[in-house]
Amino acid sequence: MANLLSYVLFLVLRTYAAPPEYIQVWPGGSTPAPGDLDNETVTPSLVPPPGTSKHKPHSIIIGVRKGGTRALLEMLDIHPEVAAAATEVHFFDWDENYAKGFEWYREQMPYSYPNQITVEKTPGYFTSPVAPARIHAMNSSIRLLLILRDPTERVISDYTQVFFNRLENHKPVQAIENMLVKNGALNTRYKAIQRSLYDVHMRNWLQHFPLEQIHIVDGDTLIHDPLPELQRVERFLDLPPRIVASNFYFNQTKGFYCIRNDGHERCLHESKGRPHPPVNSTVLRQLRLYLRQHNRNFYRLIGRTFNWQ
Ligand SMILES: *[C@@H]1O[C@H](CO)[C@@H](O)[C@H](O)[C@H]1NC(C)=O
Ligand SMILES: *[C@@H]1O[C@H](CO)[C@@H](O)[C@H](O)[C@H]1NC(C)=O
Ligand SMILES: *[C@@H]1O[C@H](CO)[C@@H](O)[C@H](O)[C@H]1NC(C)=O
Ligand SMILES: *[C@@H]1O[C@H](CO)[C@@H](O)[C@H](O)[C@H]1NC(C)=O
């Protein structure tokens, strides 16, 4: 009986526990991690803060997977006029979510004040064949953010993430060379390589959106010098300049930038910036060579070049 009672109590408490989006719009605009708040602070947010409501996103970070989408969203969230969705919604790329409709999508968004814009990120959108048309159907004038990095590095990073996920789930893992090479030739059907064909995916987006509506963030630059990239994003989204140099500090131990905002300091999850495995140099050269032509096509599509090898 006592067990049953405490279980019911647990359920009740769980139902009323503040989901992360309530915390998002805490006055002051900062987004402290749930652990930063003591229980007393969380309790009043059983109801959404007065004057807030949920809106479909004004801007979406569409990708690319392993490009730095989390870092970009967290850094953009420093801005007091940005309300960032806590999780990847996968609305436009997963049929079972899309079938739930736009009202369901809006419900997934954080509460925001009237002066805030809502931003969602799902890296799977960029490589989804159906996402561009679906986003266009929701809002044809939406502004899209795309963060990219060297596509060869991205392949290795993609592999590394899957490698560690499989390790954690006690599944068998393969050396990266076994994924990249099949029957002595580059395995161009390997998903990690497919996702790095930026020209192929971009062409699909440009069928539905003009280039001016897609702002590309240089993910390699963002990691080494975040402020200028964030300032470009502020301008693209017509946000007043609020993000400043003191919002970032370099963590020597981690080897990358952390965020300081309203007295809170936070760094990205440990899995970000994980070291990559060494890759057989012959295979690596094959991969670079294959991606080089795709990169050139991509530069032509967007009228801009990057220092990708
Ligand atoms: C806050 O709540 C957690 C569980 O939800 C509990 O373990 C912790 O002791 C509480 N802290 C305070 C200060 O009440
Ligand atoms: C569509 O997106 C634009 C750009 O963010 C925004 O100004 C506009 O209000 C949005 N329209 C709707 C219906 O949400
Ligand atoms: C820097 O990173 C290390 C290692 O992840 C972490 O333990 C430490 O708390 C961080 N320091 C600051 C000031 O963010
Ligand atoms: C790299 O792979 C190639 C085959 O693709 C092999 O011939 C070569 O010996 C490997 N190099 C090293 C250093 O393992």
Side-chain angles (χ1 to χ4, degrees):
M1 190 62 194
N3 271 344
L4 183 66
L5 269 181
S6 49
Y7 182 62
V8 170
L9 189 65
F10 165 73
L11 281 184
V12 169
L13 285 176
R14 210 177 56 158
T15 310
Y16 285 92
E21 67 260 33
Y22 286 28
I23 297 162
Q24 294 277 326
V25 290
W26 208 254
S30 69
T31 313
D36 291 342
L37 299 166
D38 62 33
N39 297 356
E40 275 179 8
T41 323
V42 173
T43 312
S45 65
L46 293 178
V47 290
T52 64
S53 51
K54 292 182 174 186
H55 297 276
K56 284 183 283 193
H58 302 73
S59 178
I60 301 178
I61 300 174
I62 58 173
V64 61
R65 181 176 147 112
K66 305 313 292 173
T69 55
R70 173 57 59 190
L72 176 60
L73 187 70
E74 298 265 332
M75 289 173 175
L76 189 54
D77 197 29
I78 293 169
H79 201 289
E81 293 175 27
V82 167
T87 57
E88 294 177 5
V89 183
H90 285 284
F91 179 65
F92 298 104
D93 59 337
W94 290 0
D95 289 344
E96 65 270 31
N97 282 343
Y98 192 66
K100 295 174 187 166
F102 287 129
E103 190 47 34
W104 177 86
Y105 184 50
R106 194 182 63 82
E107 272 300 317
Q108 310 311 306
M109 295 301 138
Y111 283 97
S112 58
Y113 289 101
N115 69 334
Q116 290 183 310
I117 62 166
T118 299
V119 182
E120 189 239 320
K121 80 112 175 165
T122 300
Y125 293 160
F126 180 57
T127 54
S128 157
V130 290
R134 287 174 174 180
I135 294 180
H136 189 268
M138 179 185 75
N139 183 347
S140 62
S141 54
I142 196 163
R143 292 176 205 194
L144 304 170
L145 295 168
L146 172 61
I147 179 165
L148 298 175
R149 60 195 281 221
D150 186 314
T152 304
E153 294 296 320
R154 203 216 64 81
V155 170
I156 302 168
S157 190
D158 200 327
Y159 163 85
T160 306
Q161 172 164 319
V162 174
F163 176 90
F164 279 101
N165 284 348
R166 292 184 69 92
L167 268 194
E168 275 167 32
N169 295 314
H170 309 286
K171 288 185 183 167
V173 289
Q174 292 259 20
I176 186 165
E177 289 83 0
N178 293 348
M179 308 297 288
L180 289 173
V181 180
K182 215 169 196 174
N183 305 323
L186 193 69
N187 176 20
T188 55
R189 299 184 65 177
Y190 175 33
K191 275 191 180 147
I193 297 182
Q194 287 283 322
R195 284 193 277 262
S196 274
L197 305 182
Y198 299 160
D199 59 331
V200 172
H201 305 297
M202 193 65 176
R203 225 170 264 129
N204 189 26
W205 285 89
L206 291 176
Q207 303 259 314
H208 300 89
F209 291 98
L211 188 57
E212 300 76 54
Q213 256 168 272
I214 309 174
H215 176 74
I216 298 171
V217 176
D218 185 334
D220 298 302
T221 310
L222 186 85
I223 294 308
H224 298 118
D225 189 15
L227 185 60
E229 286 296 331
L230 265 299
Q231 288 174 327
R232 278 188 272 272
V233 173
E234 284 181 328
R235 284 195 291 273
F236 174 70
L237 296 177
D238 283 329
L239 289 166
R242 290 284 182 276
I243 302 174
V244 294
S246 60
N247 286 132
F248 306 102
Y249 65 95
F250 194 74
N251 185 322
Q252 290 290 352
T253 324
K254 279 190 170 289
F256 54 75
Y257 281 92
C258 299
I259 297 166
R260 184 192 294 118
N261 194 21
D262 291 341
H264 291 277
E265 291 183 347
R266 63 205 151 97
C267 300
L268 293 175
H269 186 261
E270 290 298 332
S271 72
K272 308 295 174 182
R274 216 160 16 198
H276 289 170
V279 184
N280 175 315
S281 59
T282 314
V283 175
L284 193 61
R285 209 172 312 123
Q286 269 181 295
L287 177 60
R288 281 200 198 289
L289 198 64
Y290 176 70
L291 290 173
R292 198 161 292 155
Q293 187 56 49
H294 285 280
N295 294 345
R296 286 202 201 103
N297 297 344
F298 179 73
Y299 298 157
R300 215 172 304 125
L301 271 180
I302 63 164
R304 175 179 169 189
T305 61
F306 289 85
N307 293 325
W308 300 332
Q309 294 188 42

